[in-house]
Amino acid sequence: MTMDQCHRSYFPATFYHLTGIFLLLVTSPVNGWRPWANQKPNTTDLLYSPSKKYEGSSDLIQLKYHMGPVLTANITVYPIWYGRWGKSQKRIIREFINSISAVDSKPPSVSGWWKTVQRYTDQTGSNISGNVRIGAEKNDRFYSHGKSLTRLSIQSVIKFAVTAASTTFPLPINSKSGVYLLLTSDDVYVENFCQDVCGFHYFTFPSIVGYTLPYAWVGNSGKLCPGVCAYPFSVPDYMGRGFKAVKSPNNDVGVDGMISVIAHEIAELSTNPLVNAWYAGEDPSFPVEIADLCEGIYGSGGGGSYTGQMLNGEDGATYNMNGIRRKFLVQWVWNHVVNYCTGPNALDQ
């Protein structure tokens, strides 16, 4: 469990708030593989590293349940559109979220991908919900908190969306099964964006927002760093000529890149909403979660810079699963039953 919750019975409210802020500021995601510019491995490492990490399989990874709550009730995602968003961009993201529960989608499907997430349970044995839907939405098109956000100011944006401070109807308060998804447009910079993170999740502080709400932030990297956060739809120059970008399935590199990050964060929010449920390691301020373990893996044989075996559409676009009508490229997640990364497009399905 988090440090805040461990000491709740013994310290004043000011301590909880300060400790929560500390954890939010120092929590650093542990990623599988992404072409971060500050790493810049040599070409040989990029070409041959897949053999060292086949689909993330490892007997050394001990993903454990730490007795905290998971999202077992029907999950409602509340998108907060921060900045300027096109109608077509919103449609792509909405369809992906709605596809999580679309069991009739053509296989391999997004709903098939979610079945791995559903394997995780709480202490009563109840599974993560298979019902994920979009709830009310909020448009913050005038950049209520500017175009450069910190981790703490993100919570203020969420407060703006759920309280009467907003000029329109506030989002409902749903602390039991709500996921507040803050999506920033391609002209907004968020602290550590493109350097260490493409998205993250946490929970809001009552002292700032008034409630404890699980939330995630994901940014559109289309203008800032597509070679990092929209890989493999864009490739950074340092990787060399041997690596070519693939065509995105919905003709929007930034948004198609966001889809996998959104999937990553929703999967982790569902299994570890208060950072005291499913993760590897003993330190909740540096949790290794079910999507961290498989970042960069999209198909069989994936590992290192090799994405694994993906699918090609008739239009030449690359994807690995079907939604209701669209196609998407979504990273795999860790299956704690078999102890390796799995996805609906695996060759052994």
Side-chain angles (χ1 to χ4, degrees):
M1 61 177 60
T2 63
M3 189 181 302
D4 175 51
Q5 293 162 325
C6 283
H7 299 291
R8 187 175 300 276
S9 301
Y10 308 102
F11 291 87
T14 303
F15 175 83
Y16 314 144
H17 173 63
L18 293 176
T19 302
I21 291 176
F22 172 75
L23 288 175
L24 174 63
L25 294 177
V26 303
T27 297
S28 175
V30 178
N31 300 318
W33 191 88
R34 193 174 282 280
W36 301 112
N38 59 354
Q39 293 178 357
K40 294 186 179 179
N42 61 49
T43 304
T44 301
D45 289 339
L46 290 170
L47 288 172
Y48 295 105
S49 58
S51 63
K52 302 174 185 177
K53 185 185 175 189
Y54 179 76
E55 295 176 27
S57 177
S58 175
D59 294 329
L60 301 177
I61 296 173
Q62 298 296 322
L63 190 76
K64 296 180 181 179
Y65 177 52
H66 297 262
M67 305 306 289
V70 300
L71 301 187
T72 58
N74 293 344
I75 300 169
T76 303
V77 179
Y78 302 101
I80 302 171
W81 307 95
Y82 192 87
R84 298 184 181 276
W85 288 92
K87 292 182 179 180
S88 62
Q89 294 178 315
K90 290 182 176 181
R91 283 195 293 266
I92 294 169
I93 293 173
R94 287 188 188 118
E95 180 172 326
F96 171 72
I97 296 170
N98 285 326
S99 294
I100 293 175
S101 298
V103 295
D104 294 329
S105 297
K106 178 183 176 181
S109 66
V110 175
S111 61
W113 168 84
W114 189 254
K115 289 184 183 300
T116 299
V117 181
Q118 286 184 264
R119 286 177 173 267
Y120 290 85
T121 62
D122 64 10
Q123 55 188 302
T124 70
S126 298
N127 293 84
I128 301 292
S129 176
N131 189 331
V132 181
R133 69 178 186 89
I134 292 182
E137 303 180 30
K138 176 64 67 175
N139 291 298
D140 195 336
R141 64 175 62 89
F142 298 115
Y143 309 89
S144 62
H145 290 71
K147 292 188 176 182
S148 182
L149 303 176
T150 65
R151 290 187 176 228
L152 283 179
S153 65
I154 278 178
Q155 297 214 11
S156 297
V157 173
I158 295 172
K159 177 183 179 180
F160 184 78
V162 301
T163 64
S166 178
T167 56
T168 56
F169 293 107
L171 295 177
I173 302 300
N174 182 355
S175 58
K176 182 179 179 181
S177 60
V179 170
Y180 294 81
L181 182 61
L182 176 60
L183 304 168
T184 51
S185 56
D186 61 10
D187 56 348
V188 176
Y189 177 74
V190 174
E191 182 180 1
N192 299 128
F193 189 25
C194 299
Q195 302 168 38
D196 301 300
V197 294
C198 300
F200 64 78
H201 74 91
Y202 208 64
F203 54 86
T204 62
F205 305 139
S207 57
I208 297 178
V209 180
Y211 310 90
T212 300
L213 304 172
Y215 75 91
W217 158 75
V218 179
N220 185 336
S221 67
K223 292 181 179 179
L224 295 173
C225 59
V228 175
C229 292
Y231 180 85
F233 303 128
S234 180
V235 176
D237 293 337
Y238 79 80
M239 288 182 68
R241 297 180 180 179
F243 293 85
K244 295 183 178 180
V246 299
K247 182 180 179 181
S248 67
N250 297 290
N251 297 310
D252 190 313
V253 168
V255 173
D256 275 318
M258 289 180 73
I259 293 299
S260 190
V261 185
I262 291 171
H264 178 124
E265 301 304 338
I266 292 179
E268 293 185 344
L269 265 177
S270 299
T271 55
N272 197 27
L274 300 181
V275 202
N276 61 355
W278 286 95
Y279 62 88
E282 300 302 323
D283 186 352
S285 62
F286 297 94
V288 182
E289 300 171 282
I290 71 168
D292 294 328
L293 292 165
C294 306
E295 186 169 5
I297 298 176
Y298 299 90
S300 295
S305 64
Y306 177 53
T307 56
Q309 296 191 40
M310 302 178 291
L311 304 172
N312 291 316
E314 294 180 356
D315 60 352
T318 297
Y319 71 102
N320 66 346
M321 56 190 76
N322 295 290
I324 298 171
R325 291 175 297 274
R326 300 175 185 270
K327 301 179 187 302
F328 303 102
L329 184 66
V330 178
Q331 69 153 90
W332 287 7
V333 291
W334 187 260
N335 185 327
H336 67 301
V337 176
V338 296
N339 216 34
Y340 55 80
C341 301
T342 58
N345 59 312
L347 296 179
D348 58 356
Q349 292 289 320

